[in-house]
Amino acid sequence: MSKKILILEGSPRKNGNTDLMAQEFAVGATEAGHKVEKIYIKDKTIKGCLGCGACQRNGGSCVQKDDMTEIYEKIAAADAVVFASPVYFYSWTSQIKTVIDRTFAIEPTLTDTKFYMLSAGAAPELKYMENMTKTFELYISCFRAGGVENAGVVYGLGANAPGDVKNTEAMTAAYELGKTV
């Protein structure tokens, strides 16, 4: 059965290491018969969450009218959502973090969605990615409507310069993870 996959690319750099991993994930998913859409967050206008809570009182509609409205619709329609973000100071890029914060609007209503994370960074060992792993797991635990799960994580370690992730285990792992959606 074909599934809809949404890749939210949080790198400010197209064709950077994380984007290359996301492209491999997409190839694997497409070969498995799924439909993949990628959104480059850097090309969108998304304001930071106001923390007003209006979205939680009105069925998930944020009071801010920006490109996040489109992303809400695409997340709701997706069977799987991929957060692709390089590691910046042991955490998400500001681009993807803004999207994550704004999904507070749909947190009570999102169901039956698999979440994946792809991330590249200069760190040479997995222990330096612990913060990314923990925040990703905690983020997913916030969705209380049911059926939301962490379906997999791939890290590209030691990826500092553009292209460092090419021909690595991370690329193979991203491709294989895409095939398993």
Side-chain angles (χ1 to χ4, degrees):
M1 178 172 126
S2 180
K3 296 181 181 174
K4 291 182 183 177
I5 301 166
L6 176 64
I7 298 175
L8 297 172
E9 177 55 64
S11 176
R13 209 171 33 188
K14 283 188 181 178
N15 297 313
N17 290 305
T18 301
D19 193 24
L20 292 173
M21 291 170 60
Q23 289 171 27
E24 273 308 289
F25 183 98
V27 169
T30 301
E31 287 179 5
H34 305 302
K35 296 185 183 332
V36 179
E37 179 178 4
K38 185 191 292 188
I39 296 175
Y40 286 93
I41 302 302
K42 73 176 199 70
D43 296 336
K44 299 294 182 181
T45 300
I46 302 172
K47 301 172 192 163
C49 180
L50 298 173
C52 66
C55 60
Q56 297 275 311
R57 295 186 300 275
N58 67 18
S61 181
C62 182
V63 298
Q64 300 187 84
K65 302 306 174 207
D66 58 12
D67 291 336
M68 196 62 200
T69 303
E70 167 196 358
I71 293 171
Y72 290 140
E73 293 168 5
K74 291 182 184 290
I75 290 173
D79 298 297
V81 177
V82 179
F83 286 120
S85 174
V87 177
Y88 282 12
F89 292 100
Y90 305 98
S91 191
W92 307 93
T93 62
S94 60
Q95 290 85 355
I96 201 78
K97 181 64 168 94
T98 301
V99 170
I100 289 170
D101 289 349
R102 290 284 300 279
T103 60
F104 181 66
I106 60 172
E107 176 255 331
T109 60
L110 188 68
T111 60
D112 302 319
T113 305
K114 292 183 176 185
F115 280 89
Y116 297 85
M117 181 175 67
L118 306 173
S119 185
E125 297 176 45
L126 194 56
K127 69 180 182 180
Y128 297 107
M129 305 300 189
E130 289 174 359
N131 189 51
M132 289 290 286
T133 303
K134 187 70 171 170
T135 58
F136 182 62
E137 291 170 352
L138 288 170
Y139 169 72
I140 292 166
S141 74
C142 291
F143 293 96
R144 53 188 185 262
V148 176
E149 66 178 272
N150 175 351
V153 174
V154 177
Y155 289 112
L157 301 172
N160 193 30
D164 279 353
V165 78
K166 289 181 182 178
N167 303 312
T168 67
E169 290 179 21
M171 291 293 277
T172 303
Y175 170 80
E176 292 298 330
L177 191 59
K179 288 184 78 162
T180 66
V181 172

